[in-house]
Amino acid sequence: MRWLGIETSCDESAVAVVEVGGAGGKGLRLLSSVVGSQIARHRPFGGVVPEVAVREHLRNLPRLAEAALAEARLGTGDLDGIAVTQGPGLATSLLIGHAYARGLGLATGLPVRGVNHLEGHLLSPFLTAEGTVPFPFLGLIVSGGHTLLIEARGWNDYRRLGGTVDDAAGEVFDKVARMLSLGYPGGPEIEKAAAQGDAAAHDFPRAFPERADFRFSFSGLKTSVRYFLEKTPEKLADPRFVADVAASFQKAVVDVLVRKASDAARTRNLRTVIAAGGVACNGALRAALERESGRAGYRLLLAPPVLCTDNAAMIAGVAALKEEAGAALPLPDDIDPNLPLASV
Ligand code: KG4
Ligand code: ZN
C-alpha cells in the first residue's frame, strides 16, 4: 500500500509518499518527503502571518506533490490513497491542503483520509522499518502550538493526561529568542546560544511543581525572563550574558518537560515513552530524556529530528498504518482547526 500525504496546517507545505508492507515485508518505508519551508517569508514579521501562509501553500503545493511523486518514482496510478491534515491548525492553511487533497481524490478516484496533525506527531517515532506501534505508551508532544502528555492506549484511543494552560513550549522558545534578539524560529537559535552558556547562571521559575500535576505553564517563565532582562538592558549586547540566559531558560523548560513526562509514565504505569514535535529536536531535551529513561527504567523513543518539525511523512504514515490496522476513519467534509486528539 502506498499513500501520499499532504500537510498544510501551519507554515510548512509538505508532501510525502510512504509504503507499508512493500515487497512482501512488514513495516513502513518512506519513499519521499518534501517540505517547502516558508520561514524566510515569515521571518520579517517574527512569526507566522496566516495571509502569507495561504498564498505560499497555494503556490507550492502542486509543485511539491509533483516533486514527492518524482522522488518516489511513482505516478498517481501507483497510489492506494491520499491522506491530508484535518486539523488542528490555522483554518485558512488547513483549507488549502484539504481542498487540494479532495481535488486529487476526485481526479484519481483514490480514497482520501483526514489525519489529526497531533496523531501525526505522536506516531512519528514509529515511522520506521519496524512499522508497529507498541501500545500503550506515553506521548510527549512539544511543538510551536502544543504541549501535551498523551496516554496512547490503542488506535483512536488517546487520553489527554495534561497540557499547557498558556503558551506552548515552542512558542515560549520563540518569544524568549525574540527578547534576546536571536533569530526566528527561536528554538534552534536558543539551543545554539545555550551551547555556549552556563545553565546554572540564573534560576528561572518552574510552574506546577507538584508531582501528580500534569499541567504545564510557561507564561510565568517568560515574564520572569523579561523582567530579568529589563533590569540590565545594556547586557543584551554581551554574547556571554545572552548565552547564559538562553542556557538557563532552556534548562527550566527541559526540567519541567522531563520531570512531568517521567511522573506521568510512572503514575500511569507506562513503560514506553516517546517525544515528538518541533521542540523534540532540541539536543538538551533529548539528552535529558535519555538520562531520565535510564534512571527511571522506561524505554524511550525519540522521533528523528527531520520528523519532529512539521512534515507530511507523518500524515501519510499514520493513514497507511491505520488503514492496515483497520482503524482508519472516514474523511469528514470539512477541516477542524480545533480538532482534539483525545476525547478525554
Ligand atoms: O512541530 P513544529 O514544526 O510545528 C508546530 O506544529 O508547531 O514545531 C515548531 C516549534 C517552533 O516553536 C520552534 O521554535 C521549535 O518547534 N523548535 C525548537 C527546536 N527546533 C524547533 N525548540 C527548541 N529547540 C530546537 N532545537
Ligand atoms: Zn506540528
Side-chain angles (χ1 to χ4, degrees), residues 299-343:
R299 183 164 72 118
L300 177 70
L301 290 168
L302 298 168
V306 286
L307 294 182
C308 280
T309 47
D310 286 347
N311 65 85
M314 66 186 192
I315 303 304
V318 164
L321 289 175
K322 286 180 81 165
E323 200 72 25
E324 228 196 16
L329 302 172
L331 173 78
D333 283 343
D334 205 357
I335 54 140
D336 183 351
N338 301 310
L339 187 66
L341 176 57
S343 43

Short mmCIF file of all heavy atoms in Angstrom, two decimals, residues 299-343:
data_model
loop_
_atom_site.label_atom_id
_atom_site.label_comp_id
_atom_site.label_asym_id
_atom_site.label_seq_id
_atom_site.Cartn_x
_atom_site.Cartn_y
_atom_site.Cartn_z
N ARG A 299 11.44 2.65 28.35
CA ARG A 299 12.02 2.66 27.01
C ARG A 299 11.68 4.00 26.36
O ARG A 299 10.51 4.40 26.36
CB ARG A 299 11.43 1.52 26.18
CG ARG A 299 12.03 1.43 24.78
CD ARG A 299 11.73 0.07 24.15
NE ARG A 299 10.31 -0.03 23.78
CZ ARG A 299 9.88 -0.19 22.53
NH1 ARG A 299 10.74 -0.30 21.54
NH2 ARG A 299 8.59 -0.28 22.28
N LEU A 300 12.70 4.66 25.84
CA LEU A 300 12.48 5.98 25.23
C LEU A 300 12.63 5.90 23.72
O LEU A 300 13.60 5.34 23.21
CB LEU A 300 13.49 6.98 25.78
CG LEU A 300 13.43 8.38 25.19
CD1 LEU A 300 12.17 9.11 25.65
CD2 LEU A 300 14.66 9.19 25.56
N LEU A 301 11.65 6.44 23.00
CA LEU A 301 11.76 6.52 21.54
C LEU A 301 11.59 7.98 21.14
O LEU A 301 10.58 8.61 21.47
CB LEU A 301 10.66 5.69 20.88
CG LEU A 301 10.81 4.17 21.02
CD1 LEU A 301 9.54 3.46 20.59
CD2 LEU A 301 11.98 3.70 20.17
N LEU A 302 12.61 8.50 20.48
CA LEU A 302 12.57 9.90 20.05
C LEU A 302 12.34 9.95 18.55
O LEU A 302 13.00 9.22 17.80
CB LEU A 302 13.89 10.59 20.39
CG LEU A 302 14.24 10.64 21.88
CD1 LEU A 302 15.67 11.07 22.09
CD2 LEU A 302 13.27 11.59 22.59
N ALA A 303 11.43 10.79 18.11
CA ALA A 303 11.25 10.95 16.67
C ALA A 303 12.56 11.48 16.09
O ALA A 303 13.20 12.32 16.71
CB ALA A 303 10.12 11.95 16.40
N PRO A 304 12.99 10.97 14.93
CA PRO A 304 14.19 11.54 14.32
C PRO A 304 13.95 13.02 14.03
O PRO A 304 12.83 13.41 13.70
CB PRO A 304 14.36 10.75 13.02
CG PRO A 304 13.08 10.01 12.82
CD PRO A 304 12.37 9.92 14.12
N PRO A 305 14.99 13.87 14.20
CA PRO A 305 14.79 15.32 14.05
C PRO A 305 14.04 15.74 12.77
O PRO A 305 13.19 16.62 12.83
CB PRO A 305 16.21 15.88 14.09
CG PRO A 305 16.92 14.92 15.01
CD PRO A 305 16.34 13.56 14.69
N VAL A 306 14.30 15.09 11.63
CA VAL A 306 13.58 15.51 10.40
C VAL A 306 12.08 15.24 10.50
O VAL A 306 11.29 15.85 9.78
CB VAL A 306 14.08 14.83 9.11
CG1 VAL A 306 15.41 15.38 8.68
CG2 VAL A 306 14.07 13.34 9.19
N LEU A 307 11.69 14.31 11.37
CA LEU A 307 10.25 14.03 11.52
C LEU A 307 9.67 14.77 12.73
O LEU A 307 8.49 14.63 13.04
CB LEU A 307 9.99 12.53 11.65
CG LEU A 307 10.32 11.69 10.42
CD1 LEU A 307 9.98 10.22 10.67
CD2 LEU A 307 9.58 12.18 9.18
N CYS A 308 10.50 15.53 13.47
CA CYS A 308 9.99 16.29 14.61
C CYS A 308 9.25 17.53 14.14
O CYS A 308 8.13 17.81 14.57
CB CYS A 308 11.13 16.70 15.54
SG CYS A 308 11.65 15.38 16.65
N THR A 309 9.89 18.31 13.27
CA THR A 309 9.21 19.50 12.75
C THR A 309 8.16 19.06 11.73
O THR A 309 8.18 17.92 11.26
CB THR A 309 10.22 20.47 12.11
OG1 THR A 309 11.06 19.71 11.26
CG2 THR A 309 11.07 21.17 13.16
N ASP A 310 7.25 19.97 11.41
CA ASP A 310 6.11 19.60 10.59
C ASP A 310 6.53 18.99 9.25
O ASP A 310 7.43 19.50 8.58
CB ASP A 310 5.22 20.82 10.36
CG ASP A 310 4.44 21.15 11.62
OD1 ASP A 310 4.41 20.31 12.54
OD2 ASP A 310 3.84 22.24 11.67
N ASN A 311 5.88 17.90 8.89
CA ASN A 311 6.21 17.17 7.67
C ASN A 311 4.99 16.38 7.23
O ASN A 311 4.02 16.27 7.99
CB ASN A 311 7.40 16.23 7.94
CG ASN A 311 7.05 15.15 8.94
OD1 ASN A 311 6.50 14.11 8.59
ND2 ASN A 311 7.30 15.39 10.22
N ALA A 312 5.02 15.85 6.02
CA ALA A 312 3.86 15.11 5.52
C ALA A 312 4.04 13.60 5.65
O ALA A 312 3.09 12.85 5.52
CB ALA A 312 3.58 15.47 4.06
N ALA A 313 5.28 13.16 5.95
CA ALA A 313 5.52 11.72 6.11
C ALA A 313 4.69 11.20 7.27
O ALA A 313 4.14 10.10 7.22
CB ALA A 313 7.01 11.46 6.35
N MET A 314 4.58 12.02 8.33
CA MET A 314 3.81 11.56 9.49
C MET A 314 2.32 11.48 9.16
O MET A 314 1.60 10.65 9.72
CB MET A 314 4.07 12.46 10.71
CG MET A 314 3.58 13.89 10.58
SD MET A 314 4.12 14.86 12.03
CE MET A 314 3.11 16.36 11.79
N ILE A 315 1.87 12.30 8.24
CA ILE A 315 0.45 12.27 7.86
C ILE A 315 0.17 11.04 6.98
O ILE A 315 -0.76 10.27 7.23
CB ILE A 315 0.06 13.58 7.11
CG1 ILE A 315 0.38 14.81 7.99
CG2 ILE A 315 -1.39 13.57 6.66
CD1 ILE A 315 -0.27 14.82 9.36
N ALA A 316 1.03 10.84 5.98
CA ALA A 316 0.88 9.65 5.12
C ALA A 316 1.08 8.38 5.94
O ALA A 316 0.35 7.39 5.77
CB ALA A 316 1.91 9.70 3.98
N GLY A 317 2.06 8.40 6.85
CA GLY A 317 2.39 7.23 7.66
C GLY A 317 1.24 6.82 8.57
O GLY A 317 0.90 5.64 8.66
N VAL A 318 0.63 7.80 9.23
CA VAL A 318 -0.50 7.49 10.12
C VAL A 318 -1.64 6.89 9.31
O VAL A 318 -2.24 5.88 9.71
CB VAL A 318 -0.96 8.76 10.87
CG1 VAL A 318 -2.34 8.56 11.47
CG2 VAL A 318 0.02 9.11 11.97
N ALA A 319 -1.95 7.48 8.16
CA ALA A 319 -3.05 6.97 7.33
C ALA A 319 -2.76 5.53 6.91
O ALA A 319 -3.63 4.65 6.99
CB ALA A 319 -3.26 7.86 6.12
N ALA A 320 -1.53 5.27 6.48
CA ALA A 320 -1.18 3.93 5.99
C ALA A 320 -1.24 2.91 7.13
O ALA A 320 -1.80 1.81 6.96
CB ALA A 320 0.21 3.96 5.36
N LEU A 321 -0.67 3.26 8.28
CA LEU A 321 -0.66 2.32 9.42
C LEU A 321 -2.08 2.05 9.91
O LEU A 321 -2.44 0.92 10.23
CB LEU A 321 0.19 2.87 10.57
CG LEU A 321 1.71 2.90 10.34
CD1 LEU A 321 2.41 3.58 11.52
CD2 LEU A 321 2.27 1.50 10.15
N LYS A 322 -2.90 3.11 9.95
CA LYS A 322 -4.27 2.93 10.44
C LYS A 322 -5.11 2.12 9.45
O LYS A 322 -5.94 1.31 9.84
CB LYS A 322 -4.92 4.29 10.71
CG LYS A 322 -4.40 4.94 11.97
CD LYS A 322 -5.03 6.28 12.24
CE LYS A 322 -6.37 6.12 12.91
NZ LYS A 322 -6.83 7.39 13.51
N GLU A 323 -4.88 2.37 8.18
CA GLU A 323 -5.59 1.62 7.15
C GLU A 323 -5.27 0.13 7.31
O GLU A 323 -6.15 -0.72 7.27
CB GLU A 323 -5.17 2.13 5.77
CG GLU A 323 -6.11 1.81 4.65
CD GLU A 323 -7.41 2.61 4.69
OE1 GLU A 323 -7.42 3.73 5.26
OE2 GLU A 323 -8.42 2.12 4.14
N GLU A 324 -3.99 -0.15 7.51
CA GLU A 324 -3.56 -1.54 7.64
C GLU A 324 -4.13 -2.20 8.90
O GLU A 324 -4.45 -3.38 8.91
CB GLU A 324 -2.03 -1.61 7.68
CG GLU A 324 -1.51 -2.65 6.75
CD GLU A 324 -0.07 -3.02 7.04
OE1 GLU A 324 0.47 -2.70 8.12
OE2 GLU A 324 0.51 -3.63 6.15
N ALA A 325 -4.26 -1.39 9.96
CA ALA A 325 -4.76 -1.92 11.23
C ALA A 325 -6.29 -1.95 11.26
O ALA A 325 -6.89 -2.34 12.25
CB ALA A 325 -4.23 -1.06 12.38
N GLY A 326 -6.92 -1.48 10.16
CA GLY A 326 -8.38 -1.43 10.12
C GLY A 326 -8.93 -0.35 11.04
O GLY A 326 -10.06 -0.44 11.50
N ALA A 327 -8.12 0.66 11.32
CA ALA A 327 -8.53 1.69 12.29
C ALA A 327 -8.77 3.05 11.64
O ALA A 327 -9.00 4.04 12.33
CB ALA A 327 -7.45 1.83 13.37
N ALA A 328 -8.70 3.10 10.30
CA ALA A 328 -8.87 4.39 9.63
C ALA A 328 -10.32 4.85 9.75
O ALA A 328 -11.25 4.05 9.76
CB ALA A 328 -8.47 4.27 8.17
N LEU A 329 -10.50 6.16 9.87
CA LEU A 329 -11.85 6.74 9.99
C LEU A 329 -12.19 7.46 8.70
O LEU A 329 -11.30 7.95 8.00
CB LEU A 329 -11.88 7.71 11.18
CG LEU A 329 -11.50 7.10 12.53
CD1 LEU A 329 -11.39 8.19 13.60
CD2 LEU A 329 -12.52 6.04 12.94
N PRO A 330 -13.49 7.56 8.36
CA PRO A 330 -13.85 8.24 7.12
C PRO A 330 -13.47 9.72 7.15
O PRO A 330 -13.39 10.31 8.23
CB PRO A 330 -15.37 8.08 7.04
CG PRO A 330 -15.82 7.54 8.35
CD PRO A 330 -14.64 7.02 9.08
N LEU A 331 -13.26 10.30 6.00
CA LEU A 331 -12.87 11.71 5.90
C LEU A 331 -14.07 12.61 6.16
O LEU A 331 -15.06 12.55 5.44
CB LEU A 331 -12.33 12.01 4.50
CG LEU A 331 -12.05 13.49 4.23
CD1 LEU A 331 -10.75 13.93 4.89
CD2 LEU A 331 -12.03 13.79 2.74
N PRO A 332 -13.99 13.47 7.18
CA PRO A 332 -15.06 14.44 7.35
C PRO A 332 -15.03 15.46 6.21
O PRO A 332 -13.99 15.65 5.58
CB PRO A 332 -14.71 15.12 8.68
CG PRO A 332 -13.69 14.23 9.32
CD PRO A 332 -12.96 13.56 8.20
N ASP A 333 -16.18 16.08 5.94
CA ASP A 333 -16.28 17.00 4.81
C ASP A 333 -15.46 18.27 4.98
O ASP A 333 -15.12 18.92 4.01
CB ASP A 333 -17.74 17.42 4.59
CG ASP A 333 -18.51 16.32 3.90
OD1 ASP A 333 -17.85 15.42 3.33
OD2 ASP A 333 -19.75 16.35 3.94
N ASP A 334 -15.22 18.60 6.23
CA ASP A 334 -14.60 19.90 6.46
C ASP A 334 -13.37 19.76 7.35
O ASP A 334 -13.20 18.76 8.05
CB ASP A 334 -15.63 20.83 7.16
CG ASP A 334 -15.32 22.28 6.89
OD1 ASP A 334 -14.29 22.58 6.23
OD2 ASP A 334 -16.10 23.13 7.35
N ILE A 335 -12.55 20.79 7.33
CA ILE A 335 -11.41 20.85 8.24
C ILE A 335 -11.91 21.15 9.66
O ILE A 335 -13.06 21.56 9.82
CB ILE A 335 -10.43 21.96 7.81
CG1 ILE A 335 -11.19 23.29 7.68
CG2 ILE A 335 -9.76 21.62 6.51
CD1 ILE A 335 -10.47 24.47 8.17
N ASP A 336 -11.04 20.97 10.65
CA ASP A 336 -11.40 21.34 12.02
C ASP A 336 -10.18 21.97 12.69
O ASP A 336 -9.30 21.26 13.17
CB ASP A 336 -11.88 20.11 12.80
CG ASP A 336 -12.34 20.48 14.20
OD1 ASP A 336 -12.13 21.64 14.62
OD2 ASP A 336 -12.90 19.60 14.88
N PRO A 337 -10.14 23.31 12.74
CA PRO A 337 -8.96 24.00 13.29
C PRO A 337 -8.70 23.65 14.75
O PRO A 337 -7.59 23.82 15.24
CB PRO A 337 -9.32 25.48 13.17
CG PRO A 337 -10.41 25.55 12.17
CD PRO A 337 -11.15 24.25 12.25
N ASN A 338 -9.72 23.16 15.47
CA ASN A 338 -9.55 22.82 16.89
C ASN A 338 -9.67 21.33 17.15
O ASN A 338 -9.97 20.91 18.26
CB ASN A 338 -10.59 23.56 17.74
CG ASN A 338 -10.47 25.05 17.57
OD1 ASN A 338 -9.37 25.60 17.69
ND2 ASN A 338 -11.56 25.71 17.22
N LEU A 339 -9.45 20.52 16.14
CA LEU A 339 -9.61 19.07 16.27
C LEU A 339 -8.81 18.55 17.47
O LEU A 339 -7.60 18.69 17.53
CB LEU A 339 -9.11 18.41 14.99
CG LEU A 339 -9.33 16.90 14.84
CD1 LEU A 339 -10.81 16.58 14.74
CD2 LEU A 339 -8.59 16.37 13.60
N PRO A 340 -9.49 17.93 18.45
CA PRO A 340 -8.72 17.39 19.59
C PRO A 340 -8.14 16.03 19.24
O PRO A 340 -8.65 15.35 18.36
CB PRO A 340 -9.79 17.27 20.69
CG PRO A 340 -11.09 17.14 19.98
CD PRO A 340 -10.94 17.72 18.59
N LEU A 341 -7.08 15.65 19.94
CA LEU A 341 -6.51 14.31 19.71
C LEU A 341 -7.22 13.30 20.59
O LEU A 341 -7.41 12.16 20.21
CB LEU A 341 -5.00 14.34 20.05
CG LEU A 341 -4.27 13.01 19.97
CD1 LEU A 341 -4.40 12.40 18.59
CD2 LEU A 341 -2.81 13.18 20.33
N ALA A 342 -7.58 13.75 21.77
CA ALA A 342 -8.19 12.83 22.73
C ALA A 342 -9.58 13.32 23.09
O ALA A 342 -9.83 14.52 23.14
CB ALA A 342 -7.32 12.78 23.98
N SER A 343 -10.47 12.38 23.35
CA SER A 343 -11.83 12.78 23.71
C SER A 343 -11.88 13.15 25.20
O SER A 343 -12.74 13.91 25.62
CB SER A 343 -12.82 11.67 23.40
OG SER A 343 -12.28 10.44 23.79
#
